[in-house]
Amino acid sequence: MICLKFLTIVIFLTNCLLSFSQNVGLAPGLYCGLKTCYEVLGIDRDDFTKSELSRLYRNFAKKYHPDRVTGVEEKKIAAARFREVATAYETLKDDETKQFYDHYLDHPEDRYYNYYQYYRMKAAPKVDIRIVIIVTIILVSAFQYLSAKQKYSEALSYAITVPKYRQLATNIAVERKLISYDLKENMDIRGGYKKESFYDTLLFQLIIFPYTFVKLIYWYGRWYYKYNILNKELEMEDKIYLICKYLDMTESQFHCLEEYEQDLIFERSCWIKENAKEYKNDKDREEKEKLMKSAQYRRYKRYMKNNAGNTISFLDD
């Protein structure tokens, strides 16, 4: 009978304790556990400053640092207390974290919200994400610039070995009456191997993005008004834009074509989609004919003809 009464009292006290913990909103795995962070640091919830908080943390850290204690058990107790103080300080020093913590104390019924905010803040990066983005942009821009510089140097090194460009540079030197000439100053290298420029980096492009966006809107508006409403004839640069669009090439690639090929494209009015498609088909046909007439292709055909039976097969005869 006495044991039954004792067991009943224990169960009652346990339920009271659990009820109290749930009402206050304290959970063993969140923040400072079954204590409030204010109790851990010994401060009033509504009456403390950041400087006071830092001073208390430094004092507690010195007092409970494991290196200042001797003995195995004492070190364990000090380490646990040190972690408790550090958790309380990290929770209260940040305004956003403190706001979520106060909500956790005042609204224990928002259990899922409190758990979500706790683990979200715990997993959040400690470094300002804006700094990370800025540093990343700078590093990418530096890589773009150095990569472009290396490619341009490779293109120059190749151009010097080509007789065509050496002769061109010589002619320029003769025309300008120069004793020596600088190939770098007279080369027109475009595309992926053009001269490096800060204006092509990601950082600069992001800086001028508003201007680029407005310019793009203006360009489309001008195009629609000029050619869809007024029905004017296409200008040369607009023809080149459509030619590059329909022939799947960049403007740099178009300007690198031989003059006779550019003239042929204009003669066939390749700024019209149907004409451009027909021109591409003709070019593909020409390339196939050249391939069939090449010595390498003929050797391949002879090889296939002479070795037609020498194949491996897993099919049954």
Side-chain angles (χ1 to χ4, degrees), residues 66-132:
D67 294 340
R68 301 175 66 90
V69 181
T70 58
V72 178
E73 292 299 327
E74 289 79 1
K75 279 185 176 292
K76 290 182 179 179
I77 296 173
R81 180 64 174 154
F82 182 80
R83 287 194 298 269
E84 193 177 55
V85 170
T87 301
Y89 175 70
E90 292 293 332
T91 301
L92 300 180
K93 75 171 184 177
D94 183 72
D95 292 334
E96 186 179 10
T97 307
K98 180 180 179 299
Q99 179 182 355
F100 291 134
Y101 179 67
D102 289 340
H103 184 276
Y104 160 75
L105 295 179
D106 297 334
H107 301 280
E109 68 277 4
D110 298 338
R111 180 179 301 176
Y112 296 109
Y113 174 81
N114 292 330
Y115 271 87
Y116 167 74
Q117 293 298 346
Y118 170 75
Y119 286 107
R120 184 182 71 85
M121 297 301 296
K122 191 174 183 180
K126 303 301 181 183
V127 182
D128 191 343
I129 190 65
R130 292 170 294 184
I131 298 177
V132 175

Side-chain angles (χ1 to χ4, degrees), residues 40-54:
V40 171
L41 296 176
I43 56 176
D44 185 63
R45 174 173 172 175
D46 300 319
D47 187 21
F48 72 92
T49 61
K50 291 290 183 68
S51 59
E52 182 182 359
L53 182 68
S54 300

Side-chain angles (χ1 to χ4, degrees), residues 231-248:
N231 293 321
K232 288 188 175 182
E233 185 178 352
L234 289 170
E235 296 180 359
M236 179 61 67
E237 62 178 16
D238 296 327
K239 289 181 180 179
I240 294 176
Y241 166 75
L242 290 177
I243 288 172
C244 295
K245 178 181 178 181
Y246 295 143
L247 295 182
D248 297 326

Side-chain angles (χ1 to χ4, degrees), residues 117-175:
Q117 293 298 346
Y118 170 75
Y119 286 107
R120 184 182 71 85
M121 297 301 296
K122 191 174 183 180
K126 303 301 181 183
V127 182
D128 191 343
I129 190 65
R130 292 170 294 184
I131 298 177
V132 175
I133 293 175
I134 292 173
V135 172
T136 302
I137 291 174
I138 293 174
L139 291 177
V140 170
S141 301
F143 176 78
Q144 286 179 318
Y145 184 85
L146 295 176
S147 177
K149 185 175 182 179
Q150 181 182 2
K151 288 183 177 180
Y152 182 70
S153 299
E154 292 176 357
L156 285 176
S157 301
Y158 169 75
I160 293 174
T161 63
V162 178
K164 172 184 175 182
Y165 297 122
R166 285 207 307 269
Q167 184 61 40
L168 177 62
T170 304
N171 295 337
I172 294 174
V174 172
E175 291 176 2

